[in-house]
Amino acid sequence: MADEPPNPLQHALPGGIVPEDEVVRTEKRWLIIMFGMLAVMMAVIVVTSITHALHPPSNVEPIDPLTLQLQGEFVESNLGTALEPDGVTVRLIAQQYSFVPECVNVPADTPVKFRLTSPDVIHGFILGDTNVNTMVVPGFVSEVRTSFAALGDYRMPCHEFCGVGHQGMWARVVVVPIELFPKLTPKQRTSCVSE
Ligand code: CUA
C-alpha cells in the first residue's frame, strides 16, 4: 500500500476519500450534460429535416452499371433536364472524372428531381445552399428532390474521393426563371449553351 503513487484527486480531499454523495452528485451532473447534448443533437436533426428538407437519401433502386449507357433510362439521349408530368427530372451520370452532362438548366420555384447513377466507382453529388447531398453508388440510382428559390449558378462538385481526377470533377446547375424555361430547346436545357 505504501508504494502506491498518490492519487491527485484524493489528495485534494480530506482523508483522501471522495464521499459517496459527491460521487453521485458528479455522476448525475455528467448524466444531465450528456442527455442535454443528446437532446440538442436530436433537435438539430428534427428541426433541419422539417425546415430545410434535409433527409438521408432513401431511394433504393438497383441498376446494372455495365449496361446503363447502352440501354434504358440513362442512355445519352435521355440525359439532362426533362419536363415530365410530375415536374422536372434531371438525369446525370457521375463517372471518373466528370458529370454527364456537365451543365443543366432547371426552372426556379419548381419541384426538381435529380436521378443519378455511376458506371464505375462511388461519387458524391452536392449542391451548395440546398438540401441536395447524396452519394452516387454504382449499381444503384440515387434520387434527390429539391426546389430552387434563387436564380443563378449552382456548382456541383463531386465530394467523394473517386480517384486521381477527383478534384477536377465539377459540373453546374443553372437555375433560370420559370417563364424562360419552356422557351429553351432540349439541347439548351441540357448543355447550358445559348443558341
Ligand atoms: Cu467523382 Cu470524386
Side-chain angles (χ1 to χ4, degrees):
M1 283 296 282
D3 294 327
E4 273 191 8
N7 183 333
L9 273 179
Q10 289 180 352
H11 262 242
L13 290 159
I17 294 167
V18 181
E20 190 188 342
D21 57 347
E22 184 167 342
V23 172
V24 171
R25 213 182 319 128
T26 324
E27 288 192 345
K28 271 188 184 159
R29 211 177 293 151
W30 278 111
L31 213 59
I32 290 167
I33 292 171
M34 195 192 74
F35 277 113
M37 285 162 68
L38 269 180
V40 168
M41 284 188 263
M42 287 301 292
V44 167
I45 291 170
V46 171
V47 168
T48 54
S49 77
I50 293 169
T51 60
H52 290 75
L54 290 177
H55 306 295
S58 52
N59 190 52
V60 179
E61 197 180 326
I63 185 169
D64 184 354
L66 297 177
T67 59
L68 64 90
Q69 284 145 319
L70 305 175
Q71 60 187 41
E73 185 183 346
F74 289 90
V75 292
E76 194 175 349
S77 57
N78 205 38
L79 297 177
T81 310
L83 262 177
E84 293 184 346
D86 61 339
V88 169
T89 301
V90 180
R91 292 186 179 82
L92 298 165
I93 290 180
Q95 63 186 24
Q96 288 170 317
Y97 298 99
S98 63
F99 289 95
V100 182
E102 276 190 312
C103 184
V104 287
N105 278 302
V106 296
D109 301 315
T110 309
V112 179
K113 184 166 73 184
F114 286 93
R115 287 173 61 75
L116 295 100
T117 190
S118 162
D120 40 47
V121 300
I122 298 176
H123 301 275
F125 179 65
I126 188 168
L127 292 175
D129 302 326
T130 74
N131 62 324
V132 176
N133 183 357
T134 185
M135 288 207 298
V136 186
V137 183
F140 295 91
V141 178
S142 306
E143 187 176 293
V144 213
R145 288 156 194 265
T146 193
S147 175
F148 297 91
L151 301 179
D153 273 31
Y154 290 77
R155 298 266 162 203
M156 42 179 193
C158 174
H159 67 74
E160 191 76 39
F161 183 74
C162 52
V164 288
H166 160 73
Q167 77 284 355
M169 191 169 164
W170 286 82
R172 279 191 310 147
V173 172
V174 179
V175 181
V176 299
I178 189 165
E179 58 281 1
L180 177 71
F181 186 76
K183 294 177 192 150
L184 300 176
T185 63
K187 192 182 164 205
Q188 285 174 314
R189 286 175 197 163
T190 293
S191 64
C192 303
V193 291
S194 43
E195 288 177 331

